[in-house]
Amino acid sequence: MQKISKLGVLTSGGDAPGMNPCIRAVVRTGIYSGLNVVGIRKGYQGLIENDMYDMNPRSVSNILNLGGTILKTARCLPFRTDEGMETAYQNLKEQGIDALVVIGGDGTFTGALRFSKKYPDIKVMGVPGTIDNDLYGSTYTLGFDTATNTVVEAIDKIRDTADAHDRLFFIEVMGRDSGAIALRAGVCCGAEAILLPEKATAIDDLIENLRAGQHNKKSSSIVIVAEGDKNGGVYDIARRVQNEIKVYDIKVTILGHLQRGGSPSAFDRVLGSRLGYAAVKALLNGHTQKMVGLQANNIKITTLEEALTQHEFKLEQDLMEMADILSI
């Protein structure tokens, strides 16, 4: 087993609440375990530009409550090239770094796996940090809980004005090809309909459901649309419904990037701390090219290959069925 002595930590791709608690746990667990810890700014771009600095326990003081990431993040196209990876590798060797904790989503893990296969002497451990909650190997990813709570708070406020004006609101939420945020927020907020990438919903069926709500004397309706829904963009969906239902005053709200920001929830602070701690311990125990995740409230280790290629991550069937029943 090759021992590690100097650990680098980076955040890459989209930011997610909970990344800072994870960075904090990585830094302090690494130092407690006798490692030197280096922060890498702006993800893989920092590897290529050699933008790194030594961290100590005080480097991560008072960051548990902060959204975003103190290490910054970026999407780095040069890292996808052999030349970019070679530059990153040489910078790591120059710094004496022999292990990396990478915090991010599937794009981050794709780069980490390719890099580690090309340069196996650099040990790599992934931490799932994405509000989309779409990585195999962890029931929850960093940021998902906070983002869902942010959406729920926003929709509760929109419901107030929808009731006051007898309006039908179409609300688009993030998640890319995952409907995890949309589904949970829809159940929490009593949405009349939830359009998900994982479940085909015909516009005709949606219109029929909304008309049934009118018949049941609903004074307002909320339709949540996951951004990856196959019916097209939220504005197009709203227009098609407006052509068929004239009673409601229809409005569209795209919540956008506010879902990524804000102070992480208690759940994400604990999750980030657990995963950061577990990532360092896994590296010290000889693991590499793997990801730490949470399953059945226990830390589990999954290979990066599995995390990226397994397609068993599905939304809970009972939640989807329940959402339809409770919306009548």
Side-chain angles (χ1 to χ4, degrees):
M1 184 187 302
Q2 177 186 338
K3 292 185 177 180
I4 61 175
S5 59
K6 198 168 188 179
L7 173 65
V9 56
L10 62 84
T11 53
S12 176
D15 61 301
M19 284 184 165
N20 283 327
C22 187
I23 294 167
R24 175 179 178 269
V26 169
V27 171
R28 292 189 174 178
T29 304
I31 291 171
Y32 179 85
S33 303
L35 304 177
N36 295 315
V37 181
V38 173
I40 300 162
R41 296 185 181 93
K42 297 183 179 179
Y44 295 132
Q45 183 176 322
L47 287 183
I48 292 175
E49 296 177 353
N50 205 14
D51 189 359
M52 312 179 197
Y53 67 103
D54 292 332
M55 301 187 79
N56 59 57
R58 302 287 71 78
S59 301
V60 289
S61 295
N62 303 319
I63 67 170
L64 277 169
N65 62 312
L66 301 181
T69 161
I70 63 166
L71 292 177
K72 308 296 183 182
T73 183
R75 302 187 191 278
C76 182
L77 293 178
F79 191 73
R80 299 180 183 180
T81 67
D82 291 338
E83 294 80 5
M85 286 197 174
E86 174 65 23
T87 300
Y89 176 71
Q90 293 302 329
N91 287 334
L92 287 171
K93 297 301 287 185
E94 178 184 324
Q95 294 276 356
I97 296 171
D98 43 25
L100 289 174
V101 172
V102 296
I103 308 166
D106 57 356
T108 300
F109 287 178
T110 298
L113 181 60
R114 182 166 171 252
F115 180 80
S116 187
K117 284 183 174 180
K118 191 175 179 67
Y119 304 105
D121 54 319
I122 305 293
K123 307 304 179 186
V124 172
M125 187 60 55
V127 175
T130 167
I131 67 169
D132 299 340
N133 204 43
D134 60 351
L135 283 169
Y136 176 80
S138 190
T139 307
Y140 299 106
T141 59
L142 277 182
F144 169 66
D145 183 72
T146 305
T148 302
N149 285 326
T150 298
V151 170
V152 169
E153 182 181 358
I155 294 176
D156 284 347
K157 292 177 180 178
I158 289 171
R159 175 74 80 176
D160 290 342
T161 193
D163 280 337
H165 294 274
D166 292 339
R167 283 175 174 162
L168 164 58
F169 269 86
F170 285 83
I171 302 172
E172 182 182 279
V173 301
M174 297 178 88
R176 202 173 51 175
D177 297 323
S178 167
I181 292 176
L183 178 58
R184 272 184 165 71
V187 171
C188 288
C189 299
E192 279 64 37
I194 309 169
L195 275 58
L196 306 167
E198 296 87 350
K199 179 184 177 184
T201 302
I203 297 299
D204 289 343
D205 293 337
L206 172 62
I207 291 170
E208 183 178 338
N209 289 342
L210 292 172
R211 281 180 172 152
Q214 283 181 269
H215 181 72
N216 291 331
K217 303 188 184 309
K218 287 196 173 186
S219 62
S220 66
S221 288
I222 299 289
V223 176
I224 298 180
V225 182
E227 63 180 347
D229 179 71
K230 303 302 188 291
N231 285 299
V234 66
Y235 281 104
D236 184 56
I237 295 170
R239 177 185 56 78
R240 292 159 69 184
V241 172
Q242 180 75 86
N243 290 337
E244 299 296 329
I245 300 180
K246 306 296 184 182
V247 176
Y248 280 128
D249 178 15
I250 294 181
K251 300 294 183 182
V252 173
T253 298
I254 298 177
L255 295 181
H257 285 78
L258 70 86
Q259 295 160 84
R260 281 194 185 165
S263 181
S265 65
F267 181 88
D268 276 328
R269 296 186 198 194
V270 173
L271 180 62
S273 299
R274 289 182 74 180
L275 295 180
Y277 168 84
V280 176
K281 289 297 185 181
L283 285 168
L284 290 171
N285 287 328
H287 293 283
T288 186
Q289 298 180 15
K290 295 179 182 178
M291 177 196 90
V292 290
L294 186 72
Q295 298 178 42
N297 203 31
N298 292 308
I299 299 297
K300 301 292 185 181
I301 297 176
T302 305
T303 67
L304 289 178
E305 198 89 50
E306 285 180 296
L308 291 168
T309 59
Q310 292 286 349
H311 298 288
E312 297 176 14
F313 188 93
K314 297 178 181 178
L315 297 182
E316 299 89 336
Q317 189 64 35
D318 65 318
L319 279 186
M320 290 193 283
E321 293 175 358
M322 184 180 71
D324 290 337
I325 293 172
L326 299 186
S327 67
I328 61 174

